Structures are given as C-alpha cells and as structure tokens.
Amino acid sequence: MNPFVDDIVTILSEAAQLPAADVAELLAVPPDDTMGDYALPCFTLAKVLRKNPAQIATDIATAAVAAIDTAPRLAGVQAAGPYVNVRLDKAAFIGWVLDAMREQGDTFGSQDQGRGRTVAIDFSSPNLARPFSIAHLRSTAIGHAIYRIHAFLGYRCVGINHYGDYGANFGQLLAAYQLWGDEQQVAANPVPELLALYVRFNDEVEKDPDLREEARSRLKRLADGDEEMVSLWEFFVDAGRKEAERIYDILGVHFDEYKGEGAFADDLDDVIALFDKAGLAEESDGALVVRLHDEDGEEIAPCMLRTSNGTSTYHSRDIAALLYRKSQHQFDKMVYVTDSRQMLHFRQIFQALASAGIDWIDLCEHAPFGMMSFKGQALSTRKGRMVILEDVLDQAIELTRTIIAEKNPDLVDADRVAREIGISAVVYADVSNRRTRDISFSLEEVLNFDGETGPYLQYTHARYCSILRRHGEAVDLQADTTILGEPAEMRVAQSLGSFPGVLARAESDNEPSYVATYLIELATQANKLYNEVPVLIAEDPAVKIARIRLIDAVRRVLRTGMTLLGMSCPEEM
Ligand code: ARG
C-alpha cells in the first residue's frame, strides 16, 4: 500500500530475521526528525531474542546497512540506543504521496475494499415513547460515522432504524395521556406535551405504584388490538418518528430503512418454528426459551422467544428482524450499534441462531459503546431528569456564537458557522473516544478551540482554506515537489500517506475513533508546518507552489475525514 513503508519492513525484517508483520506492527514515527522518518523500537524484541534492546538495534542496523542497496527508497539506517532509525528519500516520499492523491482525487483513502459488498447498519433506533435524549446521540453519531466510512470504502450501505415502538413505555404513555392529557394541547404540540406526560408518569409512579397497573392493562388492550389504544399508539409513534427525523435533519443523518420493533411482533410463529425444527425451543415457567451455554459449557441466561403471556420478546423481534434483513438485503456484514448494556442480548440471539444452524450468523457483529455522562456546567434539562439532545445542541451553538463574537466579530454568516461548529463539536466528542469507553462530556471542553476537539479540526481546515484563498490561484497539481523535504513537510506527508490504512482499520473494527485520532495528528502536523515554513511568502516561487500543493492535500484529507465523522467543514470561521 505504501512502497516506502513496505521497503522498510522488508529490509528490517530480513535483517532481524523476524516476520514482516511483527516489524510492521512495531514501526513508528519518532517524535523528532533527528531520529529519522520511521523507527523500530526494540524493547519488545528483547524478550523474543534474549538480548538487550540496544544490542538488538545495533545488530539489525548493521545487517540492514549491508543490504541498503536493495532498497533505493531508503536513505539511511542507523541504531540509536534501543531504536533502529530509518531515513527515507524525503522528496521522493512526498512526491509519491501527492501523486497518489492526485490520481485518486476525492476517493483518496479508499482501497475499494467494499466493492460488491453490502453492509447493513442498525443504529440510532430510539425508543419512541421517550424523548430523543443525549443518550441516543451516541448510537446515532457512531452509527452514522460507521455508515459513512463503509460507504466511502465502496460498500453498499443499508442504514436501518429499528426504532422502539413496542413495550412497557407505551403502556405508560397511554396511561398518562388518558389520565392527565389534554387532547387539544397534545394535538397542537405533541412533542413537549408527551414529554411532560412521560415525565409526570415517572414521577407519580414512585408515589403511587398502582399506576403500573394502569399502564399494564392498556398495554394489554393495545396488544389485543383495541381500536382506541391502537389509534392513540399510532399517534404517539408518528409524533416520535417526526421528532426523530427532525433531529436527524439537524445532524445530517439519513436512514435507508425505517422498520420498528412492532413490525416484527407478528413473526413470532416463524421464529418459534425455526427453533422447534432444530429441537431447541423449551418451555420454562410458561415461557418459551432457547437454552445457551458459554465456552466452558456453563449455562448462561437463555434467549427468550415468548413470554408466559404469549407475547413476543425483544429477542424474538430482533431475530425476526435479522432474518428479514438477510433475505431482503443479502448483507455481507451486519453491524448493531447500541450501548454495551445490550452485549448479552446480542450474544444470546447470535448464539441461539448459530445453534439453529444459521450459517451466516458470523457476518453479524455487535459494536457496543460506553455511557456518556456530564461534568462541569449543568445542562438544562427542560423538564425532568432527561438531558434533551436538542438542548445540548442549542447550548453548544449558543456558546460557539459568543466565542465567534470574541474571536472573529466580522465573520460573515456567523449564525450558520456557529451552528456548524456547535453541532460538529458535540458529534466529534461522541465519536472521538474509543467506542467502548465511558465518556464524560462538558461543553467547555468539547468547544475548546485548542484542545483535541472538533473545533480544533475545523479551525485547522479553515486556516488552510484561508491560505489557499489568499494564494488566489488554482492549485497546481503538477507542481514539482522534489524541492520539498523540510522535516515539517515530511511529517505532514507521512500523515497523509497513512490515511488509507487508518480507514481500513476503522472499517474492520467498526471504530470511527481511529479516524478522529488520526485527524488530530494530521491537524497538529499541519499547524506545525504552518508555523515552521513560509508558504505565501516563500521566496522561491517554485517552493511556494510546491507547498501550496501540499497544503491543498492536507485540506482535502481533513475535509474527507471530518465528513466521514459526520462533521461539517466551514471554510471560514
Ligand atoms: N430501541 C433500542 C434502545 O433504545 C435499541 C435497538 C437496537 N437495535 C436492535 N436491533 N435491537 O435501546
């Protein structure tokens, strides 16, 4: 993929007599240019080779130097303490990266790994009886980034919203509406009114547990097809969907399929038949279950197909949905994006289906994520204990507006830019941490223009756009770059060259945070470049147009990467 890195790996693995993959894994970019362009740290090799790291580095370097003629892209190999430092022909490297980018244009970063393949991604999938809270943002933002990364790599993507339109919360809403709701008020303003009813039910049920029965009996009537309940339920679901879609518009998220849980409740008999045929469905206290075991043969919680009341379950509805998706979309990969509290749930349905002989079940993956909490300034919660997503976005936009007013009072279109920065800052905060980590969120931190934040990336991108604007001429994509080779230029080029590998790993691990971390690194190198070498005021016009070509390349990768994360890229801010 990168012939320069390939050459390093070949020569060092032969010199060390180690597998190429091990060397490739260890290879790193040293913090300081005087230590070379790439370095192989020898600490972990000490255990395998039973020598001290500095001795290993010396031995590898000596053997590599003897073979250096076989690797014309390399300019030198040298041991320095426990490291083998490698120097490349910098001008050739920079030229290679920029030519590759010119040839690939806007698809640079993709190796077309998804060509002819379909991925289905189940994400966001909010419970529609509850308000769209900040808790839903994680699945929405992470799932959307996973979607975009796959699409960029050539997959046909099917984004699925498996919204929750079924279950106990709807019983609560039906009860609250009939007990306290004002039909006209709710009709006129469904979202805030239903939210208030939902919050009220949850408050009052603590004082009056009998309310549970009010909810349960209505849910039963709904399940039995009672007309009054069904039409109310349809109204609630419709209002919830409209509200969710309004939020998706704000975030720039779209789905290819909306199919809620309720759509699969009637498939219960087919699901049971599948497990019956395999002799796996067992009665247990009136319910119907599939027994499951872990690797050690210990029994784990079963997969429940039918409750003792005879109704479908979250398990059986998900199984029905999965069978439908496979036959409908013929996916090669199916990813579920939910919080990590659902790990057991997905393990149960995957195992149950595997034991029933579903041989494609290995195509399915659960991509769990950790919880989000708040620190610092308390976020207003409009009503109740819920943190409403839109409140968070509004506050982020508001805070951005004040920052812009201070930093750049003359900015045209400041309102639009404030929106783009505020929303992207929240999205970035969500996708930038390792998926499985719990994150704590503070608006001040996510909006810090100098931190590892969304605004920092956008600011760097805008800064580069501004250089190109001031240059005032079209970027010369044929400009001769053999005059380049300053350390800062080399670092930027190395960072650009690693973009395809980062995307490939982000796809296979369903981990958008790799892209986020990568972009921070690229932006940091880019800002160093900006501070260390003159561009517009470079004396030699040939150097100037070569640097402009490099700067344009950085701007493009920043833009591609941010777009993949679901961020916007204002050109001025
Ligand atoms: N509605 C569920 C929730 O809010 C998430 C559904 C995830 N998708 C699925 N196929 N189970 O937690």
Side-chain angles (χ1 to χ4, degrees):
M1 179 161 61
N2 178 334
F4 290 78
V5 172
D6 289 349
D7 277 5
I8 300 176
V9 169
T10 306
I11 200 167
L12 294 188
S13 61
E14 276 167 19
Q17 304 198 324
L18 285 168
D22 295 4
V23 170
E25 169 112 20
L26 288 174
L27 210 61
V29 177
D32 184 338
D33 170 71
T34 60
M35 299 187 253
D37 300 315
Y38 286 93
L40 179 75
C42 297
F43 305 101
T44 55
L45 301 177
K47 286 196 204 89
V48 196
L49 301 174
R50 301 183 162 281
K51 277 190 280 187
N52 79 57
Q55 187 60 48
I56 296 172
T58 308
D59 294 348
I60 295 177
T62 311
V65 168
I68 195 114
D69 288 349
T70 64
R73 295 187 183 89
L74 273 48
V77 180
Q78 208 175 23
Y83 295 93
V84 182
N85 293 338
V86 183
R87 245 163 244 296
L88 295 177
D89 177 340
K90 288 188 172 53
F93 183 89
I94 297 169
W96 169 76
V97 171
L98 294 181
D99 287 353
M101 287 189 63
R102 182 185 56 213
E103 253 122 69
Q104 252 196 288
D106 285 339
T107 65
F108 175 73
S110 168
Q111 294 157 286
D112 216 11
Q113 40 275 75
R115 181 202 296 231
R117 290 163 58 79
T118 296
V119 62
I121 306 167
D122 176 325
F123 69 105
S124 193
S125 305
N127 185 335
L128 295 185
R130 282 181 296 204
F132 205 106
S133 82
I134 187 85
H136 293 114
L137 177 64
R138 293 224 76 193
S139 176
T140 309
I142 296 171
H144 182 222
I146 291 176
Y147 182 105
R148 290 205 167 182
I149 291 168
H150 281 81
F152 187 71
L153 299 185
Y155 280 87
R156 180 175 80 93
C157 294
V158 186
I160 302 175
N161 195 319
H162 187 66
Y163 54 85
D165 55 355
Y166 206 87
N169 289 138
F170 282 91
Q172 294 160 10
L173 206 52
L174 287 166
Y177 179 80
Q178 292 202 310
L179 292 170
W180 312 305
D182 177 318
E183 209 180 311
Q184 258 141 34
Q185 270 177 7
V186 175
N189 234 340
V191 172
E193 293 297 327
L194 292 176
L195 167 58
L197 287 171
Y198 180 83
V199 170
R200 176 159 175 196
F201 185 91
N202 281 284
D203 283 344
E204 301 219 359
V205 80
E206 281 172 24
K207 290 171 261 164
D208 179 8
D210 289 348
L211 281 174
R212 284 190 212 290
E213 193 39 47
E214 298 277 350
R216 243 191 314 259
S217 60
R218 287 181 175 79
L219 194 61
K220 178 87 174 74
R221 280 169 63 195
L222 174 65
D224 294 343
D226 176 301
E227 256 178 53
E228 188 187 12
M229 293 301 123
V230 170
S231 85
L232 270 180
W233 169 80
E234 280 173 350
F235 169 70
F236 297 158
V237 169
D238 191 54
R241 262 195 62 168
K242 286 211 180 89
E243 172 67 356
E245 284 177 47
R246 197 176 63 79
I247 304 279
Y248 297 142
D249 277 347
I250 295 175
L251 295 171
V253 172
H254 115 112
F255 292 88
D256 305 290
E257 179 174 294
Y258 276 93
K259 252 189 197 304
E261 270 187 64
F264 298 99
D266 291 341
D267 298 342
L268 179 58
D269 291 342
D270 296 341
V271 172
I272 293 175
L274 171 77
F275 290 97
D276 261 342
K277 210 168 76 198
L280 293 168
E282 288 179 47
E283 292 276 344
S284 166
D285 295 330
L288 197 64
V289 304
V290 177
R291 293 193 192 286
L292 302 170
H293 300 87
D294 66 13
E295 307 78 48
D296 302 326
E298 294 287 327
E299 184 152 359
I300 63 168
C303 177
M304 192 188 286
L305 301 177
R306 192 182 60 207
T307 67
S308 52
N309 296 331
T311 54
S312 68
T313 63
Y314 188 37
H315 281 139
S316 55
R317 293 190 293 275
D318 242 335
I319 289 172
L322 180 52
L323 298 172
Y324 163 81
R325 290 169 190 177
K326 181 64 183 162
S327 73
Q328 183 73 13
H329 305 302
Q330 294 298 331
F331 56 72
D332 301 284
K333 178 176 175 181
M334 161 87 234
V335 189
Y336 292 89
V337 186
T338 80
D339 75 57
S340 46
R341 289 172 306 185
Q342 297 199 28
M343 273 160 79
L344 177 63
H345 170 77
F346 287 105
R347 182 174 170 196
Q348 288 165 323
I349 62 173
F350 295 166
Q351 264 187 37
L353 285 167
S355 61
I358 298 292
D359 57 2
W360 46 262
I361 197 68
D362 288 345
L363 303 177
C364 302
E365 299 170 33
H366 179 215
F369 54 81
M371 307 304 285
M372 186 188 243
S373 61
F374 292 91
K375 72 169 184 236
Q377 163 218 46
L379 289 151
S380 90
T381 57
R382 227 185 274 174
K383 278 200 185 88
R385 290 174 293 272
M386 219 99 43
V387 179
I388 309 294
L389 174 61
E390 202 173 12
D391 286 346
V392 177
L393 297 178
D394 285 347
Q395 289 186 36
I397 294 166
E398 207 37 60
L399 205 54
T400 309
R401 224 177 250 132
T402 40
I403 298 174
I404 292 179
E406 238 170 68
K407 291 199 176 207
N408 190 358
D410 301 329
L411 181 65
V412 267
D413 233 356
D415 272 349
R416 176 186 52 84
V417 177
R419 281 186 73 76
E420 293 185 345
I421 297 175
I423 293 169
S424 293
V426 176
V427 168
Y428 180 85
D430 214 305
V431 297
S432 57
N433 287 282
R434 270 306 258 270
R435 208 173 10 81
T436 50
R437 273 185 49 192
D438 289 341
I439 60 177
S440 119
F441 176 103
S442 99
L443 272 184
E444 278 82 6
E445 269 169 44
V446 309
L447 285 171
N448 179 353
F449 280 47
D450 300 317
E452 296 186 353
T453 61
Y456 172 69
L457 293 179
Q458 290 174 314
Y459 176 70
T460 308
H461 171 264
R463 189 181 211 188
Y464 267 46
C465 288
S466 134
I467 301 176
L468 295 171
R469 265 196 310 274
R470 279 182 284 146
H471 177 56
E473 284 164 37
V475 178
D476 180 359
L477 293 178
Q478 307 290 340
D480 174 17
T481 54
T482 52
I483 11 181
L484 301 184
E486 291 289 330
E489 294 162 344
M490 181 64 181
R491 284 296 187 257
V492 161
Q494 285 176 279
S495 190
L496 293 173
S498 60
F499 189 47
V502 170
L503 289 184
R505 286 194 296 282
E507 182 258 311
S508 60
D509 292 355
N510 300 313
E511 189 64 87
S513 70
Y514 297 166
V515 179
T517 310
Y518 164 80
L519 290 175
I520 293 287
E521 165 66 16
L522 175 61
T524 305
Q525 297 300 348
N527 284 310
K528 249 197 209 144
L529 175 73
Y530 181 87
N531 294 334
E532 286 176 15
V533 303
V535 180
L536 295 175
I537 50 166
E539 269 170 31
D540 181 345
V543 169
K544 176 167 154 180
I545 61 162
R547 285 190 180 143
I548 287 288
R549 190 179 160 196
L550 184 61
I551 276 175
D552 178 58
V554 173
R555 177 194 62 84
R556 277 169 44 202
V557 171
L558 282 174
R559 186 181 184 87
T560 304
M562 287 196 284
T563 307
L564 292 179
L565 295 181
M567 299 170 62
S568 40
C569 314
E571 298 191 355
E572 240 177 300
M573 61 188 264

